[in-house]
Amino acid sequence: MIIRFTLNGEEKEIEAAPDRRVVDLLREDLGLTGTKVGCNRGECGACTVLINDIPRYACLTLAVEADGAKITTVEGLMEGEKLGPVQEAFLEEDAFQCGYCTPGQIMAVEGLLRANPQPTMPEIQQDLSGNLCRCGAYTHIFKAARRAADLKNK
């Protein structure tokens, strides 16, 4: 099948088998390795991307579901060589340890802030509950989400 979509602001057209997943399309076909493969079954959130501004697990999303959609990956949050506000907040708040879950966490925060620019801490915690951090950096991740809201709303 031919899949047409907008990826990080750029129009794309790619041939994909009906069972091809978005995570494989991004990593293997398009070379965007920021989206990580964790559990491969929608339990960890490492593969979170935005599809039409909504956080989705790329390991559970078929490429055909992205036909006509707007996909944003962690690479798409940068402004040239400059980190985007959510990425900057994660750096400022030391919101990572091993870093494997970080792209998915960042994308979950970005999706939350697009839907709710000023979330409360309970809303942040609820929205990020689908993204696991095996290192246990949650306190810093939640602070980074709060800081990102401040940075985006300047």
Side-chain angles (χ1 to χ4, degrees):
M1 299 183 65
I2 300 295
I3 311 291
R4 293 175 186 85
F5 55 96
T6 304
L7 176 63
N8 298 330
E10 193 176 309
E11 298 297 319
K12 296 286 182 185
E13 181 176 295
I14 193 163
E15 190 171 343
D19 63 346
R20 190 83 168 147
R21 302 174 309 163
V22 168
V23 71
D24 301 318
L25 185 92
L26 294 171
R27 291 182 59 80
E28 296 170 15
D29 300 342
L30 298 170
L32 295 177
T33 57
T35 303
K36 303 299 183 205
V37 177
C39 66
N40 251 337
R41 56 182 182 230
E43 293 178 1
C44 73
C47 66
T48 302
V49 297
L50 301 184
I51 299 180
N52 295 328
D53 293 331
I54 298 168
R56 299 268 307 263
Y57 297 147
C59 74
L60 293 183
T61 306
L62 295 175
V64 296
E65 294 178 74
D67 190 40
K70 178 178 85 168
I71 300 173
T72 307
T73 67
V74 70
E75 294 93 345
L77 299 182
M78 293 186 67
E79 299 159 8
E81 293 296 314
K82 184 178 181 294
L83 295 176
V86 177
Q87 294 162 317
E88 185 63 39
F90 268 67
L91 183 62
E92 287 179 18
E93 295 295 336
D94 196 26
F96 46 85
Q97 285 185 34
C98 81
Y100 198 83
C101 74
T102 305
Q105 299 279 2
I106 287 171
M107 295 312 297
V109 170
E110 180 71 26
L112 166 62
L113 297 179
R114 288 184 184 190
N116 181 0
Q118 288 294 335
T120 64
M121 190 54 73
E123 289 171 328
I124 290 168
Q125 292 168 334
Q126 176 64 39
D127 257 54
L128 298 184
S129 66
N131 289 72
L132 304 179
C133 173
R134 293 184 69 173
C135 300
Y138 294 111
T139 302
H140 294 276
I141 291 167
F142 298 151
K143 285 181 187 175
R146 186 68 248 138
R147 176 71 178 132
D150 294 342
L151 288 174
K152 285 177 83 80
N153 291 304
K154 276 187 173 182

